[in-house]
Structure formats: structure tokens, C-alpha cells
Amino acid sequence: MPVVEVFLDIEEQILINIAKLLKKHKGLLDEDILSWQAQQLSELGSLTQQNIITIAKYARLSIDEVTKMLEKAGYTTVQEYEGDLQEAVQLGLAVQPPIGPEVSPSLEAILSAYQAQAMNTFNLVNTTLIQQAEQAYLDIVNQTVGKVLAGVQTPREALREVAGKWAEKGIPALIDRAGKQWSTEAYMNMVMRSMSNRIANDMQNARMAEYGVDLIEVSSHMGARPKCFPYQGRIFSLSGTSDKYPPFSSTSYGQPDGLFGINCRHLKYPYIPGITKQRYKPYDAEKNRKEYEESQQQRYLERQIRKAKRELAMMQAMGDEEGIKKAKQKVRDRQAEMREFIDATGRTRRYEREKPY
């Protein structure tokens, strides 16, 4: 989450930068909408410079946080089972690697590759945020003018509505090949969760290969995705040569929404018969489905609260008193929805996930 929060900070600050520029020339907004449009469009370069400064301010933070995240995700998982692997060596069930995990060249190479991948991702996201912020600003200005000239709204009503929609939508962090716009939160969550799990699993693979260990156990958790659920808590053979355990290739591994795919939270661990004990057991299918659906609903409600708070921040930066009043009510309404959901399900409310960044 610390890495994701850095980019949500950037997104929120960009929206506030837009709102502050929209506050300028307020006299023209009411008196001459076309002159207001011309003045606001002339501010586009200033907005871009402010956003570049904003991103530069957070760039060091994102690098530091992702470095810590990748190191922890990778080495912590490996170290957790180093004792079991060493015991297997003593019993003749595994071979002794020449060096420890902290200085293993194969593990260092995996870490370096993921760090480079993260930097490339950050550069792409930062560029996209700057470009899409410009588009958001142009859209707000031009749509406001269009609504006023069409006579459907007053200037302040139009500006409030269009700016509010962008606060709700957010600034896209990625536009994929199909043209789909990924929100900053959705995309960075996906990237960081997937990356942290992949480095943990890749380092486990590399370390097990150094020990000559073939069997793995897949972790399990309540609320697993449909394509992961059948395989969690079970033992598999990486090579597919075991007489007792099924090949790992028989799972949903390799599918985007399958085991160890995008947003998957499962991990793999070395399994050595007679030494390691199977730590995980599959969960009841109906309970798992219910947990999964409720967790998805809670995440949705958390996002809705954050969006309302983001709209409030924009209205405050614009100095729109009516907009502030409406945004505050929207926050209260969405918080009430969350309270009803928590009361109905008995789940734990996660206040830290409802705060704007």
C-alpha cells in the first residue's frame, strides 16, 4: 500500500492543481463565458508545469518505497523456509547451495529485474498522468462553456458538475491497447500486488532450484478467486514427475485471473515430505464465495467514500461553497451506506481505506 498511496497522493494533488486554476478568473465566469474560456485555456502550460513539479516531488518516495517493498516481499518469503530446506539437506533430501540467500546471484538478479520493471512502469504512469491531466482540464473548461452556451445551466452550476465528474472519475494512469482507461488506484494496486507476489514466487522458485526441491504447497485464504480456489492449500510437483502429487501445470497458473495471475494473493512454499507440515487447508466453497463477494462490495464502498472526499477537496480548492456543501453531504451518504453494510455483514470496517491520500 505505501507505493500505491504515493501515486494516489500524486493524483489527488493533480486534481487540486486543476481546481486551483479553475478558481482563477471567477469574475469572467459569470460575466463573459467565452473570455473566461480563453483565459483558462491560456493556463494549460502553467498546469503542466505544476504537475511536473508535483510528480518530481513524489518521485524519490515512489522509488524508495518500491525498493523496500520488493526486497521485503522477496527475501522475507525465502528466509521463512530456509530452516526447513537446511534440515532437508542434513537428511539427504536436498542439496546444499554454495551460498546463502542474502548473497545468491540468482536472487539478486530477480530483484534487479523487478526494480527495473517498476521504474519503467512508474515512468509510463507519470507521463500518462501529465497528459491525462491536461485532457481533464480542457474537458472541464470546454464542457462548462458548452453547457452555458446551450442554456442548460448557469456557469457555476456547469463548472461544479463537470469538475465533480472528474473528481469522481480521477485521472487515468493507463490507457491500454483496447482504449480502456485504468484509474490510478486500480492500475497501481494491480501492478504492486502482482509484482510483490511474483517476486516472492520467483525467488522461491530460484531458491528451491538451488536446493533441488520439486514439491510446492500453494497458500490459501478465505475469499479466494474462483479460478484460484480449487488449487489453494494443495501440494503440486513443479516438474510433474511426482507419483503422489499432481503437476503444477494442471492448475490455472498462466491465466490472467488464475493462480499467481493478476491481483492474485497466493504464494507458493517448498514442501518436503517428513519435514514441512502442510500449513494450509482448503476452505468451504460457499463460505469462500460469500467472503469474496463481501470483500469486493466493501472495497467498492471504500472507493466511493474516497471519491466523495476527493470531490470535496476539489470544491474547497475552487472556493465553491455550494459545491462544498453538496460534496460533504455525498461523503455522509456514502459513509452511511458503509455503516449499513458493516452492520449487515459483521465485517471489520477499515477506516484507513476510506481516507483521501
Side-chain angles (χ1 to χ4, degrees):
M1 280 307 296
V3 182
V4 178
E5 287 175 2
V6 170
F7 281 90
L8 293 177
D9 277 336
I10 293 172
E11 180 189 31
E12 182 165 324
Q13 189 56 56
I14 285 175
L15 287 167
I16 290 174
N17 291 345
I18 290 173
K20 288 179 177 178
L21 282 182
L22 293 172
K23 186 178 181 180
K24 298 180 70 173
H25 316 296
K26 289 184 71 173
L28 285 176
L29 177 65
D30 295 320
E31 298 169 7
D32 187 344
I33 192 66
L34 292 178
S35 294
W36 175 83
Q37 181 184 34
Q39 288 292 332
Q40 290 297 155
L41 293 180
S42 70
E43 301 284 357
L44 185 60
S46 175
L47 173 66
T48 300
Q49 287 302 311
Q50 289 178 34
N51 290 340
I52 290 173
I53 292 170
T54 295
I55 289 174
K57 174 184 174 183
Y58 288 97
R60 185 70 252 170
L61 282 175
S62 64
I63 294 171
D64 291 344
E65 290 296 344
V66 78
T67 299
K68 289 188 290 186
M69 182 272 286
L70 292 173
E71 288 179 350
K72 181 178 180 180
Y75 284 106
T76 300
T77 308
V78 169
Q79 290 284 6
E80 183 179 356
Y81 288 87
E82 191 71 10
D84 287 346
L85 292 169
Q86 283 292 318
E87 185 177 349
V89 170
Q90 295 171 9
L91 295 176
L93 300 174
V95 298
Q96 176 66 57
I99 49 180
E102 66 282 353
V103 291
S104 168
S106 60
L107 299 188
E108 290 179 358
I110 292 171
L111 177 61
S112 296
Y114 275 98
Q115 287 174 333
Q117 180 184 338
M119 294 307 102
N120 289 335
T121 299
F122 291 175
N123 289 335
L124 174 61
V125 169
N126 290 339
T127 300
T128 303
L129 286 174
I130 290 172
Q131 294 171 344
Q132 291 302 307
E134 293 175 354
Q135 187 58 50
Y137 182 73
L138 291 171
D139 185 74
I140 292 171
V141 171
N142 292 331
Q143 276 204 41
T144 298
V145 173
K147 288 176 179 291
V148 172
L149 294 180
V152 296
Q153 287 177 311
T154 67
R156 291 179 184 271
E157 288 172 344
L159 179 58
R160 182 183 308 130
E161 179 183 296
V162 181
K165 287 181 178 178
W166 273 99
E168 186 84 10
K169 177 182 178 181
I171 307 297
L174 176 75
I175 300 177
D176 63 23
R177 294 177 181 177
K180 177 184 176 181
Q181 295 186 348
W182 290 73
S183 71
T184 300
E185 180 176 13
Y187 183 62
M188 293 309 300
N189 258 319
M190 180 194 73
V191 168
M192 290 300 104
R193 184 180 292 117
S194 299
M195 194 175 291
S196 64
N197 273 28
R198 285 203 306 268
I199 191 172
N201 286 310
D202 285 356
M203 281 194 173
Q204 281 281 33
N205 283 349
R207 194 59 177 165
M208 285 189 291
E210 291 175 343
Y211 276 98
V213 172
D214 178 57
L215 298 179
I216 61 164
E217 178 183 351
V218 176
S219 67
S220 62
H221 59 80
M222 185 66 81
R225 300 186 303 184
K227 286 191 178 181
C228 297
F229 176 75
Y231 309 108
Q232 66 174 1
R234 295 175 58 189
I235 298 167
F236 297 93
S237 166
L238 289 174
S239 67
T241 58
S242 172
D243 295 330
K244 184 176 181 181
Y245 300 103
F248 185 59
S249 59
S250 65
T251 70
S252 60
Y253 177 71
Q255 300 177 30
D257 56 346
L259 200 59
F260 308 130
I262 296 172
N263 282 330
C264 179
R265 291 187 287 141
H266 286 97
L267 295 171
K268 64 169 76 82
Y269 305 102
Y271 182 77
I272 305 165
I275 296 179
T276 53
K277 294 181 180 179
Q278 190 171 2
R279 293 167 169 80
Y280 300 93
K281 298 293 182 182
Y283 292 99
D284 176 77
E286 180 57 29
K287 290 181 179 179
N288 182 83
R289 182 197 60 78
K290 182 173 181 288
E291 172 71 18
Y292 176 73
E293 291 177 354
E294 288 181 353
S295 69
Q296 296 303 299
Q297 179 65 14
Q298 184 168 351
R299 293 293 174 85
Y300 168 77
L301 294 173
E302 290 164 351
R303 289 195 298 271
Q304 294 303 101
I305 292 172
R306 290 199 301 272
K307 289 176 180 178
K309 290 180 177 180
R310 191 166 61 193
E311 181 176 342
L312 175 59
M314 278 195 78
M315 294 302 155
Q316 290 171 332
M318 288 166 58
D320 185 335
E321 293 302 324
E322 182 64 23
I324 292 171
K325 179 180 177 182
K326 290 184 176 182
K328 284 183 176 180
Q329 185 59 51
K330 184 180 289 187
V331 172
R332 288 193 289 269
D333 290 344
R334 292 183 178 182
Q335 288 174 331
E337 285 185 62
M338 176 62 84
R339 287 194 295 272
E340 290 176 5
F341 172 78
I342 294 298
D343 289 343
T345 60
R347 292 178 64 85
T348 301
R349 188 167 178 180
R350 302 289 295 274
Y351 288 97
E352 72 278 9
R353 292 180 178 171
E354 300 175 17
K355 68 179 182 179
Y357 291 93

